[in-house]
Amino acid sequence: MTSTRREAIGTATAVGAAATLAACGNGDDEGGGGSTESVRIATADVPETGGLVQDGVVVIRSADGEFTAFDAECPHQGCAVSEVTSSAIICPCHGSEFDPGSGEVTQGPAEEGLASRTATVEDDEIVIS
């Protein structure tokens, strides 16, 4: 069967659009979280009164030295958050921001907060499960 140029372009456009949408919604392509596996991060790697995004999780160290952890996967479309500042955990894909202390949304388009993970200190490592 012979297809016309218009049909070929239409098919290529549809395939490209589907691939783009799949990539946007898949946190794995962005290094996202969502994993239930344990992650170990050295306590020395997490800045004092700051945070770190690594291995699909976000780890926050509070002023009193306590550690909190969240999945790095943004609930909006599955991209991985990439930056932690003193006031926000930031998703680079669409600009959502989350509170570093609670993981709750402080700026959309995300409507849900980051999923909480359990952070336990063992020797000089934080075990996130």
Side-chain angles (χ1 to χ4, degrees):
M1 173 178 199
T2 307
S3 59
T4 66
R5 178 174 157 50
R6 176 172 286 165
E7 290 172 330
I9 290 171
T11 300
T13 301
V15 169
T20 299
L21 287 173
C24 186
N26 183 349
D28 291 342
D29 290 339
E30 301 291 332
S35 172
T36 56
E37 294 181 26
S38 289
V39 175
R40 292 180 172 269
I41 297 174
T43 56
D45 289 348
V46 183
E48 292 185 26
T49 65
L52 172 74
V53 180
Q54 182 177 311
D55 298 331
V57 297
V58 181
V59 181
I60 305 295
R61 185 190 306 221
S62 67
D64 61 1
E66 296 294 318
F67 293 96
T68 308
F70 307 99
D71 273 338
E73 185 176 305
C74 178
H76 175 240
Q77 288 191 344
C79 293
V81 298
S82 63
E83 182 181 358
V84 179
T85 68
S86 61
S87 60
I89 300 168
I90 303 167
C91 180
C93 294
H94 302 103
S96 292
E97 295 185 6
F98 305 89
D99 180 87
S102 67
E104 293 301 313
V105 177
T106 57
Q107 175 178 306
E111 295 179 358
E112 298 176 27
L114 297 173
S116 292
R117 299 282 295 264
T118 301
T120 307
V121 177
E122 293 180 5
D123 299 320
D124 59 350
E125 290 184 315
I126 308 151
V127 179
I128 299 111
S129 55

